[in-house]
Amino acid sequence: MADLWLQFVLTIDATLRVATPLILCAMAGLFSERSGIIDISLEGKMLMSAFAAASMAALTGSPLLGLAGGILVSVALSLIHGFACVTHKGNQVISGLAINILASGLTVTLGIALFAQGGQTPFLNKSERFTDIVLPFAEQAEHVPVLGTIYKEIISGHNLLVWVALFSVIVTGYVVFRTTFGLRLRAVGEKPEAVDSAGGSVSGLRFQAVIIAGVLCGIAGTYLSTAHGAGFIREMAAGKGYIALAALIFGKWRPVPALLACLMFGFMEALAARLQGVEIPVIGNISTDLILVLPYFLTVILLAGFIGKASPPRSIGVPYIKER
Amino acid sequence: MNASSLPRWIDIGLLPVLNLIAALTVAGVIIAIIGENPFVAMGVMIKGAFVYDGALGYTLFYTTNFIFTGLAVAVAFHAMLFNIGGEGQAMIGGLGVGLVVLFLDSVLPPLLVVILAVPAAAAFGAVWGVIPGWLQARRGSHIVITTIMFNFIASSIMVWLLAGMLMAPGQMSPETRSFADGINLPLVYEVLQMAGFSVSRSPLNLSFVIALLACFGVWYLIWRTKLGYIIRATGHSERATIYAGHDPAKIIMLVMAISGALAGMMSLNEILGVQQRVILNFTSGYGFTGIAVALMGRNHPIGIVLASLLFGALYQGGAELDFEFQTITREMVLMIQGLIILFSGALAYLFMPAVVRIYSSLRKPTGSG
Amino acid sequence: PQLMTTSTAAAADFKPAVIYDMGGKFDKSFNEGVWNGVEKFTKETGVEVMEFEVTNETQREQAMRRMAERGATIVLGVGFAQADAIAKVAADYPDKQFSIIDVGWLDAPNLRQYVFKEHEGSYLVGVAAALASKTDKVGFVGGMDIPLIRKFACGYVGGVKSVNGSAAVYQNMTGTTPSAWNDPAKGAELTRSQIDRGADVVYHAAGGTGVGVIQAAADAGKLAIGVDSNQNGMAPGSVLTSMLKRVDVAAYETFKDAMSGSFSSGVKVLGVAEGGVDWAFDENNASLITASIKSAVEKARSDILSGKVVVHDFMSDTKCPY
Amino acid sequence: MADKTISKARGDDSSPLAISLDNINKTFGSVRANKDVCLSVVQGTIHGIVGENGAGKSTLVSILYGFYSADSGTVAISGEPVRLRSAADAIAAGIGMVHQHFMLVPNFTVLENIILGHEVGSDLKAGARQAEASLKGITERYGLSVDLQAVVQDLPVGLQQRVEILKALYRGARILILDEPTGVLTPQETEQLFDILGTLKAQGVTILLITHKLKEIMAVTDFVSVMRSGEMVDHLQTAQTNPQQLAQMMVGRPVLLDVGYQAAQAGQAMLNAEHLTVTETSGVTSLSDVSFSVHQGEILGIAGVSGNGQSELLEVLAGIRKITSGTVQIGDRKITAEQPASPSEVKGLGLAHVPEDRHAMGLILPFTAAESAVLGYEYADMMGGRSPILSPAVMAAHCKTLMSSYDVRPAEPSLKSNLFSGGNQQKIVLARELSSQPDILLVGQPTRGVDIGAIEFIHKQLFAMRDKGCAVILVSVELDEIMSLSDRVMVMNEGKSMGIVRKADTDIQEIGLMMAGVTAASPRQQKAR
Ligand SMILES: Nc1ncnc2c1ncn2[C@@H]1O[C@H](COP(=O)(O)OP(=O)(O)OP(=O)(O)O)[C@@H](O)[C@H]1O
Ligand SMILES: Nc1ncnc2c1ncn2[C@@H]1O[C@H](COP(=O)(O)OP(=O)(O)OP(=O)(O)O)[C@@H](O)[C@H]1O
Ligand SMILES: [Mg+2]
Ligand SMILES: [Mg+2]
């Protein structure tokens, strides 16, 4: 019983760690999609920045420089996306797809050229990574029943970027719904001509949105390779960008519901990891593959309008073309 | 200033070539950055794709995959549906082949099993296409998102089955048992050798012919039948289609079924052509490459064959790069593919303003004279 | 190619080739072990070995064929996943030699197969783990959930229980597909959860995923046990020992034999007695291995050699009696 | 010459100019939307601009608002030359605009829409509070009350327009441009709008008003400028002109309103509609209890301000929209909610339909003319019946025949549909539908955006159909068109029929009142049903 409780608490703890890149990417997607730009390139940006961050950290020994590198590269990809979708009014889905495929290829190609380790970066040691921050009294708290366990296992012992991710939700909520920039951002995703005729710049706003998305994806990628993991390996984003996209849709393009969706999806993943190959009394061996598919499945069900209704920003995916 | 004010040869000939050149130039710069000579690399690739013994066979083998997935994307595109679920549809198509063969190969004669497996690939792929089609047509969910999700769902189903009930006993890889002897599509080199030609071995098989037939079929369907007309009409204007007395929802589902069936038939080449068992990830991203193929081929079967050939050469030549260079792997091909999608898809009209300017300045003197 | 009539390779046209599996030759584990053997061979003989790293399932057969067509006289396949491919290609190229590691069920006159008694090596590190654990709880993280990995796990449990019958062994598998060999993040996740439940020594048999296991154990100040190659140096002071599976020996031996013309087909089974599996003791873990641990492990080793202890092989009956 | 007319129109040379546009040019692709356009607007006046569809009115004011940039020409505001690169520049210059299609974010509140792009500070709440305070002054001064917290999409069109005006005033506009503001309004809302414009004018705001309705020009403007195919034709003082003169200037020759109506002999009823009601999924009732019948050899005109249920009526009759209750009887077939008919079934009953929106429905713009010319007739006999094969040669030949008998220019079946001019596009649609020899013909806005020559041709075709015994239902928002073609007229208001009158027994005044929903047809005329 006690072990079961501990298991549960630990799964929640793992949920936070697993959900961190999802949260960051979902917030990134929120900025981009609220401004009317579909962003399926979350995956590629995250992958590319994971690579850049790990390379930078390996070469300089500093995780902070790694973070800077990760963000920089991710923003660069965002700018490509913006150039294609905003400046040249290209198809946003195609552009995103191109970036994802490009990132898959480029990371390995550059990785081999830089480190000659089959596309991986060298193993990062502790000083080259963001390591866990143990909060004060965590050890002592262990002896306090329930709350102590929660404090020690769930709240304490996360690295900086986990906190950054949670904080990003608050910031996103504030910026998008409580500032004038957010008002314009949402307006430009709903009805760009309204912003244009009100004297705002549609392109400017959309570029700002994709750049913010780039920064957040950059942090997510950095988390993967230099905080949660210890180095880059090929395809390390492993579909997390798409799960984040699903979470964003599931959260109906709102920060807190999107956060909850990320946590739910993260929980499924954490749970699935723990159940892999484990015989459960009565039920037997659960197929974890089927647990892992739940996020996608639920999103399809949601989109089909069977549970609530998710209506995207009205002008999403439509380039703003004034003169034909 | 738009595409329709330019002559066709510029729109469907010059611009795609310029886009391709741009993509290859960027790729060349990256190759140079990592310290290899892009021209040497290009030479190796071309040799690897066409010159070596059997290379052409491999190139055409990959081309076959791309024709199927490219056609799948193109058919949907004619109804303005962006089907990026080709990957999942191909997987499920392969599952269809596998199920039919595994159930029947001990009961029916091989030839009959093969003949049944072909429609099974199409039917399973069609089902995996028609569900997102239904969701779009009747429930209003966005086809792009649902097809992405369906790729993941398909992939999980495959893992679940191949690492579970379909896994061959005693096997340690997630794959089915091998099909019974004789259950495969005829290999082209074998047929040619029987006919007395000396051809080197390659996995090129009858699927290539099926793919070419599918090209003709798609062309005929889209431009020579009433259904094709209605499909194109739906793509351009749903309201006009309703006005003309057709149900766009039905058309959308039908188109997605056709699209899924084409993608599903890609599995014929891999599963029934060479692997002779269902393995995990046999689609290897060919479904996504189909998008690039369709974009480059401007959704026309002839364009698709040409673009497929390009990508087939890229894949086969890319494998050769892998052997020749320490620093270059197959991922280089993926990178080039990403660049091609970027330039010929998202930035398709990057060069148009310049081309229009040059074209009109060239035309003016002759026009007024 | 059909016209080529190479008999036993003369040194001049001797051309060895190796095909690494997914994970790549720098996986710090299985493939890297093979690579070490290949490097040793090249260094000693000066013969270059053609290499290819498989990155997706469909490439194996093509790569093997391509090697044969490019003139390779002996092709070494790495890992059971290449079994089907090598069986086909070996049949199509009867005058070439083939060898494969971790496969023992094929039958071809030109194919050598290597099988290891991983359960014996795992037993040894299990003994070390049980003695090093302060909490009496140890962990195991496997890669892909297949009988081979259960074989590792079972031997390990046997070793642990031989020291401390009441010790708890937490076991997790990473996944059911080949990607489970290369998912350090998940490996780290699973390790953390085992550590949080009290485990203080975690053994992995998970290829590239193991990097995450070692990282997580080192991060938490606990101990990891490496596998295949000697991984003691990956995080000195945090890797208790490594279960050595001498795939390097298999690779080296294959090429050496082929070069000297003494290549033979059939299955080679390598256990503790043959020097095919062992535990690693070097300067990186000298401070962790106390005298009592060392003597206990050496005793277990000699017991296996003498036949006093027979470690159960999971694959013989797909059961683990411990 | 242009200058002379301006000063002539101004009458009083001393009054200062709020706007002066000089030699404005603008080209869209191959369309020259504005050609050397000059315009001067006196401060504190209401200045109208009239012109046919596509004359370039919207383009001109969009340039003035910085929305489009002119290819050449200069703009001066209150005598100061300004460069208008974006709407922000125009707003800074004191210009506000109410667009033809509202520029409001539907799911934002009124307040959010008003402050959008002109917020105070970066904190939304604080800025909104401040804005609310300053808006209070504006609403009181101009009598423009509206609930600031309401969500825009829940407001009726008239109020949405008021939000647009408030938006402009909040930005300190001294010049207000309104592009066809009354097209979407009910007569009452139009009245209210004109009251507001009066108040604004009294406060010294300069107003530029674009409209098609000459009556409105006569009612509220001080000056009026006329545009025709991208050019400014003339500037006049409203008091010194009349609708006839303006109409003549707009189209460039004396208007021939009547193509020669001759009363027809109506035969048996071909289509009976009883208590037709349509409720949208949104809950709005777009058609309510409409009953009428139409007979062989007559044209039934459906009059009404745009958006009063005419479009829905046409779509219901054509089978495109489902009936909620009521029946439509064509021959023996009774179409009800329970037994709906599809567009193809209705077609089979001998009905043809020229839709209101030829771009979105009547044609498929990227298709060739040959392809567009079989839209909806893919399975007709001339196309080989049920055969699944479509022959390009047959299509081209069919199109060629249609083109020559309906004088489509250029008579080139392989030309893309969007490369034909509006009038010729309409002729293709008409040719396709009329050539099916229908017993019943539905026609929506047949001459919208079509030049006068084509209008005459189309009108003659409609008469010819009637005289061949076809029952024609004609929907048009142009009252003149209704009056010159119809034998009987049904007037619609808010989805209801205000009654049916015989053309011979009525006049424009009476129908105008009915359109406004003021009076229903008198009992005597009611019998015209
Ligand atoms: N954004 C645009 N891109 C291309 N062509 C345009 C654009 N806007 C207008 N046009 C074309 O310019 C011409 C003038 O259009 P404009 O909208 O100014 O006319 P208008 O007088 O306002 O007509 P209406 O009474 O129908 O509103 C038309 O031929 C129109 O098709
Ligand atoms: N909204 C639009 N989008 C695209 N093209 C348009 C649009 N409006 C007009 N055009 C094109 O611009 C050209 C001019 O159109 P317009 O309707 O102004 O013709 P027009 O000169 O008035 O012809 P007509 O005298 O027959 O009415 C045509 O080729 C037409 O197809
Ligand atoms: Mg206009
Ligand atoms: Mg016109």
Side-chain angles (χ1 to χ4, degrees), chain A residues 135 196 282-283 288 293:
Chain A
L135 297 181
D196 197 1
V282 188
I283 309 168
T288 53
V293 83

Side-chain angles (χ1 to χ4, degrees), chain A residues 103-309:
Chain A
S104 284
L106 205 54
T107 46
V108 178
T109 304
L110 293 179
I112 290 171
L114 274 176
F115 303 107
Q117 297 199 358
Q120 296 175 200
T121 61
F123 182 68
L124 299 176
N125 61 40
K126 253 179 155 169
S127 70
E128 295 165 337
R129 292 171 40 222
F130 290 93
T131 46
D132 295 350
I133 304 165
V134 176
L135 297 181
F137 311 115
E139 289 306 318
Q140 289 87 323
E142 194 176 4
H143 306 293
V144 183
V146 186
L147 284 182
T149 320
I150 290 176
Y151 181 74
K152 171 170 182 268
E153 300 297 349
I154 300 184
I155 299 176
S156 168
H158 288 293
N159 63 61
L160 178 68
L161 299 186
V162 175
W163 296 111
V164 169
L166 293 175
F167 190 61
S168 79
V169 179
I170 301 170
V171 173
T172 304
Y174 178 78
V175 169
V176 173
F177 293 99
R178 295 271 181 279
T179 66
T180 53
F181 168 71
L183 183 75
R184 293 181 185 198
L185 186 83
R186 283 180 286 136
V188 95
E190 292 287 336
K191 190 148 183 178
E193 53 270 47
V195 174
D196 197 1
S197 82
S201 160
V202 176
S203 303
L205 280 162
R206 288 188 166 171
F207 259 105
Q208 287 175 47
V210 296
I211 289 171
I212 295 173
V215 171
L216 289 167
C217 282
I219 302 174
T222 306
Y223 174 82
L224 287 186
S225 66
T226 63
H228 194 221
F232 175 83
I233 54 164
R234 56 170 84 201
E235 295 301 335
M236 96 180 297
K240 291 188 177 64
Y242 290 111
I243 299 236
L245 194 66
L248 176 64
I249 296 169
F250 212 81
K252 304 180 180 182
W253 290 270
R254 306 189 137 264
V256 173
L259 167 73
L260 295 178
C262 288
L263 290 174
M264 178 170 85
F265 294 171
F267 178 75
M268 289 174 190
E269 200 183 326
L271 189 70
R274 274 156 188 73
L275 292 180
Q276 176 66 55
V278 174
E279 291 282 332
I280 295 171
V282 188
I283 309 168
N285 214 327
I286 288 191
S287 170
T288 53
D289 307 310
L290 294 187
I291 300 180
L292 289 176
V293 83
L294 273 177
Y296 306 113
F297 190 70
L298 288 175
T299 306
V300 168
I301 301 282
L302 174 87
L303 275 176
F306 291 116
I307 32 173
K309 182 116 189 80

